Amino acid sequence: MTASAADRPSRRGMPPGGLEPGTPVAGRFTKWGGGRHWEWDGRYLGSDEHGHWWYAPAGTRCARPGVEFVESSGWVSLVPHEGAYVGGFYPGHREISVYVDMTTEPVWQRREASHGGPEWEVTMVDLDLDVVLTRDGHLFVDDEDEFAEHRVELGYPADVVALAERWRDLVLAAVVAGDEPFATVGHAWLRGADPGEEAPGGAEGTGGH
């Protein structure tokens, strides 16, 4: 952890300075209205000027209602200090390199002991829109049709629609410009968690949830 990260005040339930590296963390996406979405467990890596990073190794079970699978490779996730999104950075053999879900602002919280599983979790509402960068450099926004449907079917408030569209535009512009953490920082965290991963020019990637 950098000194600047350690000095940051607590935001959205995260203790000042972050968690102890290696702390188990549960990721919990929901849909607007409280429906369950993707869930998986990983371990906290640390924080930097961009946010808090955590790692899910190969063999991680990912589940949502009606769908469940075990990941064949690991990836790292970023919960930013500021921003309404969650970033994913994937290894070199994956077709996708960076996958960013637009969400409500993620919230960290300590779970009740009776809940079982990791002591800490980060929760956010998935807002459909995704910024995706493939290994061969193709950049696009995914699920715009789903976003249009859900803003009516699920009744997204106007400020939630504006939040998702604002951060879609900001993240897209950052990836186009080669700004961090989307250029090299995310994959550096992945290599730190799994030294077998290659740097972005040889092969590194991400998959999405």
Side-chain angles (χ1 to χ4, degrees):
M1 179 189 309
T2 64
S4 60
D7 292 340
R8 282 182 179 274
S10 174
R11 285 185 56 84
R12 304 179 198 154
M14 174 62 74
L19 305 177
E20 184 70 23
T23 299
V25 171
R28 301 288 180 261
F29 282 90
T30 63
K31 298 303 287 185
W32 191 259
R36 294 176 67 180
H37 197 43
W38 287 113
E39 303 179 358
W40 75 97
D41 295 344
R43 61 178 173 84
Y44 186 80
L45 295 175
S47 64
D48 60 12
E49 63 269 33
H50 305 292
H52 297 278
W53 298 86
W54 54 295
Y55 175 63
T60 295
R61 173 184 170 272
C62 300
R64 70 180 186 188
V67 181
E68 181 177 331
F69 64 91
V70 174
E71 276 284 9
S72 60
S73 57
W75 76 98
V76 294
S77 299
L78 167 66
V79 176
H81 291 302
E82 299 181 17
Y85 67 87
V86 175
F89 300 81
Y90 295 77
H93 62 277
R94 299 288 291 267
E95 178 184 357
I96 293 173
S97 178
V98 179
Y99 195 105
V100 186
D101 293 272
M102 303 306 116
T103 67
T104 55
E105 292 193 351
V107 174
W108 293 89
Q109 60 186 355
R110 191 188 298 269
R111 292 162 34 146
E112 296 293 335
S114 60
H115 192 285
E119 179 183 4
W120 282 88
E121 71 176 6
V122 58
T123 62
M124 46 267 156
V125 179
D126 179 76
L127 297 177
D128 309 312
L129 296 172
D130 307 305
V131 173
V132 184
L133 177 65
T134 66
R135 182 59 48 192
D136 61 6
H138 179 46
L139 177 64
F140 62 97
V141 176
D142 201 17
D143 291 336
E144 292 183 296
D145 53 346
E146 185 176 337
F147 179 66
E149 292 170 5
H150 283 172
R151 62 188 294 181
V152 176
E153 294 175 2
L154 300 180
Y156 291 168
D159 60 334
V160 170
V161 171
L163 182 74
E165 293 178 334
R166 174 174 179 256
W167 282 99
R168 171 203 60 196
D169 294 345
L170 288 171
V171 170
L172 187 65
V175 177
V176 168
D179 292 341
E180 299 295 1
F182 306 108
T184 63
V185 168
H187 290 106
W189 277 96
L190 178 59
R191 290 194 303 281
D194 185 348
E197 296 302 338
E198 299 179 27
E204 212 148 312
T206 68
H209 291 290

